[in-house]
Structures are given as structure tokens and as C-alpha cells.
Amino acid sequence: MYSASMSTPDRLVEATQELLWERGYVGTSPKAIQQLAGAGQGSMYHHFAGKSDLALTAILRTAAELRATAEQALGDGGTAYERISAYLSRERDVLRGCPVGRLTMDPDVMASEELRAPVDETIGWLRGRLAEIVQEGLDRGEFDRPLAPDEIAATVVATAQGGYVLARASGSSAAFDAGVAGLLTLLAPRTGPTV
């Protein structure tokens, strides 16, 4: 699974990221981490104080990766609508869900202020970034009606996260795609006279 050049701490963190996404905090045992990473118990505890320390490092890395991926889609090219559309339509493993969003459903992560903080900060960052983009679009006259940037940002995040839930429940990405298409239709500039 890992390249020979990957360091032991990186293998441990990446294994923890995968297991947190698949199994949650409780289901991510030190033994499972070590097996997936191909690392011994001594190596794990040499580099990390324990499971919570390793989980925090993994969550921070997952959060940074989500931000980088979102920023690629949101970037500075195109209209606000095109950038939001690029974010919602980007390639993703819909049936696995969002690796950060899924942590919000993990009672052990949410009960720990230390583990919850990067999850909350990342979702807050995404909402803020989307609100900035909506405001830029309003300032440039790209939308033909008044919009509340913070509300639109919350709606975009809720559509993506809710779309993951619908897709997982149905076993098909079609539900996610339908939610995205519906939101984009609502956000699209009107092309004819309004009634």
C-alpha cells in the first residue's frame, strides 16, 4: 500500500486517516493502524504519544488535504457560479463520504475538544471561502438577484454533506448528483424575464 520511501510516521498517519474514514475513532485500533501501516508497536509509540495523538495528526492532515482540494476547485478562475459548480462537481468518492464530514458523526471525535477543533475549523474555513466567492460574484454583478453569502455558503456545504448521506443510503451517487444539480439550478443566473 505504501512506497518504500515513505517514512514510518507518514505510513502511520496515512493508515490512521484511512481507518478513521472507514471505521471511525473507536474502530481504529492501534493494532489495525500498525497492521495497515506495516509498522510495529514500538515504532508507533516512538513517534506518537498514543492513539489520540496519532488521530489528531491524521485529522489535521485530512483537513489540510480537504482544504487544498477544495481550493483547487474554488481557485480564482471563472465566475463565482463556475467556481461553486467546479467545487460541487469535482471528482470525489461519493459513496465513501467526506473524510472530514464523517468525523462529525463520530461521537468520540465530537466529545474531544482537541479532535473536534480541526473538524470545526475546516468546515468553518470552507463556509467562509464559499461566502467570499459569493460576495465576489455579487460585487461583480454576476448574480441577477440578491443573495446572502453566508446562507449560500451554508447551503453549498449542506448540499454536499447531505448528498453524501443520500448517496450512501441509496448505494448510488445519483442522489448526490441530483442534489448538486438542484442547487446549481437554483443558483444559476436567470436567462429570461422573471414573473
Side-chain angles (χ1 to χ4, degrees):
M1 176 173 180
Y2 303 107
S3 71
S5 64
M6 186 180 276
S7 71
T8 299
D10 282 339
R11 289 195 325 266
L12 288 163
V13 170
E14 194 166 302
T16 304
Q17 286 179 275
E18 285 297 313
L19 291 168
L20 285 171
W21 194 1
E22 291 174 14
R23 303 178 183 181
Y25 186 80
V26 169
T28 300
S29 69
K31 183 176 181 177
I33 294 167
Q34 293 159 20
Q35 286 177 336
L36 187 59
Q41 183 176 357
S43 293
M44 180 173 159
Y45 291 103
H46 173 72
H47 296 289
F48 300 96
K51 177 181 168 180
S52 180
D53 181 39
L54 181 52
L56 177 60
T57 303
I59 291 169
L60 288 168
R61 185 178 292 178
T62 298
E65 290 170 357
L66 182 139
R67 287 181 187 211
T69 300
E71 191 56 43
Q72 279 182 328
L74 294 170
D76 288 330
T79 67
Y81 176 85
E82 290 166 346
R83 292 159 68 193
I84 292 168
S85 178
Y87 168 73
L88 287 170
S89 303
R90 72 174 173 78
E91 188 174 328
R92 59 184 88 206
D93 190 349
V94 173
L95 295 179
R96 274 190 91 190
C98 173
V100 172
R102 288 199 52 195
L103 292 171
T104 67
M105 301 304 294
D106 190 314
D108 294 290
V109 172
M110 292 297 101
S112 165
E113 180 61 33
E114 186 177 44
L115 297 177
R116 186 181 64 76
V119 174
D120 183 39
E121 289 166 10
T122 301
I123 293 171
W125 171 85
L126 181 58
R127 288 179 62 180
R129 186 69 178 103
L130 287 161
E132 288 172 9
I133 291 168
V134 173
Q135 186 61 58
E136 290 170 16
L138 288 167
D139 293 345
R140 293 190 298 237
E142 295 171 0
F143 295 107
D144 56 7
R145 60 198 172 278
L147 299 172
D150 290 336
E151 292 174 6
I152 297 301
T155 302
V156 171
V157 173
T159 297
Q161 294 301 320
Y164 287 126
V165 171
L166 294 173
R168 287 174 59 86
S170 68
S172 168
S173 62
F176 182 95
D177 297 339
V180 166
L183 177 58
L184 291 175
T185 298
L186 292 173
L187 284 179
R190 297 178 184 127
T191 55
T194 57
V195 203

